[in-house]
Amino acid sequence: MKQYFTMSQAAGICAVNRTTMLRWVRSGKIEAYSTPGGHKRILSEVLKKWLEDNQMPFDINELQDKKTRILIVDDDRTVRMYLTKILKGVLIETETAADGFIAGKKIVQFRPDLVILDLSMPYMDGFEVCKTLKADHDTSEIKIIVLTGHATEENRKRAISAGADAFLKKPSSKNELLSCIEKTLMK
């Protein structure tokens, strides 16, 4: 069973929005802990007990081994296909978007836990996607890994300041990417 849930994941299980879930946590209705970065997490046993105590229907499968959702945003089709292939697994579900505008729509529909984001894209670049996600209360907890072929120190600083949680250069090895995903999701 998954050990903890983010506010967005717990909200999805309870069929409420993230703001309602956060309100329940702040008022003490649901016990949560804070990560060193200040993000709230709810232990799976706590959420299950709370659902049972409040006679809220839930699917036990939602609480067991919930798949990590990763949105891959890159205008290069080959990169999207490669990343989808290496991330495909029992506990990972992926979606892709070819630009920042489509990414915005996919984020609302797919509700990813993490976004792997290119910087140079048409319509809306990666910097703008980072700023938009982190500025919105409902998406601010989504983790962002920038994966770019333009890995300059200036772009790294700019991406981190826009809200990226990690920064990798293209190409990165499969092991390097998987390690970065694991570390980023644990923040």
Side-chain angles (χ1 to χ4, degrees), residues 13-111:
I13 291 167
C14 294
V16 297
N17 65 36
R18 185 182 172 284
T19 304
T20 299
M21 182 58 63
L22 197 54
R23 193 174 315 123
W24 289 345
V25 166
R26 287 184 178 149
S27 70
K29 289 183 180 181
I30 298 178
E31 182 184 340
Y33 70 93
S34 293
T35 66
H39 299 289
K40 298 290 185 193
R41 300 290 186 260
I42 300 173
L43 294 172
S44 58
E45 308 84 54
V46 170
L47 183 60
K48 182 179 177 189
K49 183 174 179 349
W50 187 86
L51 289 165
E52 289 170 347
D53 290 350
N54 288 279
Q55 300 176 352
M56 291 182 72
F58 65 95
D59 180 358
I60 192 68
N61 294 326
E62 279 285 317
L63 297 177
Q64 293 177 341
D65 297 329
K66 187 175 185 310
K67 288 185 175 185
T68 298
R69 293 174 170 228
I70 299 177
L71 178 63
I72 300 161
V73 185
D74 199 301
D75 60 335
D76 186 332
R77 183 175 182 271
T78 307
V79 171
R80 290 192 312 269
M81 288 174 26
Y82 170 74
L83 292 175
T84 298
K85 182 179 178 180
I86 67 169
L87 294 175
K88 191 173 189 154
V90 178
L91 297 178
I92 295 178
E93 185 178 351
T94 61
E95 281 283 333
T96 63
D99 62 57
F101 180 74
I102 294 170
K105 291 170 62 175
K106 293 266 183 151
I107 286 164
V108 170
Q109 297 165 348
F110 183 57
R111 298 176 60 135

Side-chain angles (χ1 to χ4, degrees), residues 90-156:
V90 178
L91 297 178
I92 295 178
E93 185 178 351
T94 61
E95 281 283 333
T96 63
D99 62 57
F101 180 74
I102 294 170
K105 291 170 62 175
K106 293 266 183 151
I107 286 164
V108 170
Q109 297 165 348
F110 183 57
R111 298 176 60 135
D113 301 300
L114 181 130
V115 174
I116 298 175
L117 182 64
D118 187 21
L119 290 178
S120 301
M121 297 180 295
Y123 309 116
M124 180 187 281
D125 67 23
F127 300 111
E128 195 60 36
V129 173
C130 279
K131 286 180 200 169
T132 303
L133 283 178
K134 295 303 180 173
D136 186 326
H137 187 66
D138 289 332
T139 59
S140 63
E141 281 194 16
I142 296 173
K143 302 296 183 184
I144 301 171
I145 296 175
V146 167
L147 180 64
T148 182
H150 303 282
T152 65
E153 182 59 21
E154 179 184 337
N155 280 344
R156 187 191 69 74

